[in-house]
Amino acid sequence: MSPKNGNKPRVLSGIQPSGNLTIGNYLGALKQWVAVQHEYDCFYCVVDLHAITAVQDPAELRLKTRESAAMYIAAGIDPEVSTVFVQSHIPAHSELAWMLTCMAPLGWLHRMTQFKDKSAKQAQESIGAGLLNYPSLMAADILLYHADFVPVGDDQNQHLEFTRDLAQRFNHLYGETFTLPSVMNPAAGARIMGLDNPTAKMSKSEASENHAIFLLDDPSRARKKVMRAVTDSRREIRFSQDPERAGVNNLLTIYQAITNEPTEAIQAAFADKGYGDLKRAVADTVAATLQPLQTRYNELMNEAGYLDSVLKIGREKAAEIAEDTLKLAQDRMGFLAPS
Ligand code: TRP
């Protein structure tokens, strides 16, 4: 097993560079990644190999990969504390993913709700095999680093379960090799939904104009999107799990995720207010969040060589661990070591 930095438990997570990062990525993932980085030995990657499970424009993918890494840092991830890297820079991810693919029962893969959802939206013949094998690659990401905890949204719990099952299967067949990871779900309520369709998770790859607030949206544009968010025809401003109240609940959730105020205090503050007041308050906190993030992002992108040097150091730190684990797994499976 690879030595862990000061015996801190290890954390690994990633976001696909398949579009522009949204306030959902920030409040549901990045903010939590930042919060745990001193307590855990953290590895945060830009998962470009996952992004190609849908066709990507090459120039766009390259750009989004850099932009995502810059946004991790702008959000507060300190590259001197956490390891920030690009998944495809470490060939061990692809190599272990193949080994795990060969062990992954088709039945398990077909049962993944993300696969079912995504494949249902495409013609049968055009569904790439990568979409089905996506969880084996995610398992490789996690297992290569012996991650103890994986901060992900609850839509990824099934992939985490799959990773544990596959690791157990490998350990059982070939001897103790992988650490079984646990899920680290974000603090209650940090699941941000689409502003135009509050029963679906906010997505960076949804085309409609008022669906997502992007972290690089001009604050005035972000404001407009909040003001146009879908609500309902009632009046009461309360957190609610009622699907009909999902729009108001989502606005309150965004407000809470940014301000960290307790539920009761928020509900009391809006008790005699209207939806317009709620939207203005959310728009204010959102704009105040975006501004410093964008300033820092622009500095990072304009500082020649800085981002590349962060990714180079990240790559070296990640490769050391990943290559050790890969070698061990290859040996256990019976591959002849090159002399
Ligand atoms: N599947 C994750 C998502 O869409 C992204 C991801 C890929 C990931 N590899 C990972 C998350 C490893 C955590 C750990 O959100």
Side-chain angles (χ1 to χ4, degrees), residues 91-104:
H93 288 249
S94 302
E95 296 177 66
L96 183 62
W98 171 250
M99 293 155 68
L100 296 176
T101 291
C102 293
M103 299 182 49

Side-chain angles (χ1 to χ4, degrees), residues 19 22 29 38 47 81 114 132 139 197 224 249 255 304 324 326 332 336 339:
T22 70
H38 292 282
V47 291
V81 175
Q114 182 172 301
L132 183 67
N197 173 13
K224 279 200 193 102
N249 190 66
Y255 187 82
D324 273 359
L326 178 68
R332 293 273 159 87
L336 176 67
S339 50

Side-chain angles (χ1 to χ4, degrees), residues 12-14 16 47 50 114 134 138 141-142 150 152 156 159:
L12 179 133
S13 199
Q16 297 186 44
V47 291
H50 278 100
Q114 182 172 301
Y134 183 109
M138 180 162 161
D141 299 342
I142 296 165
V150 181
V152 280
Q156 295 295 314
H159 289 160

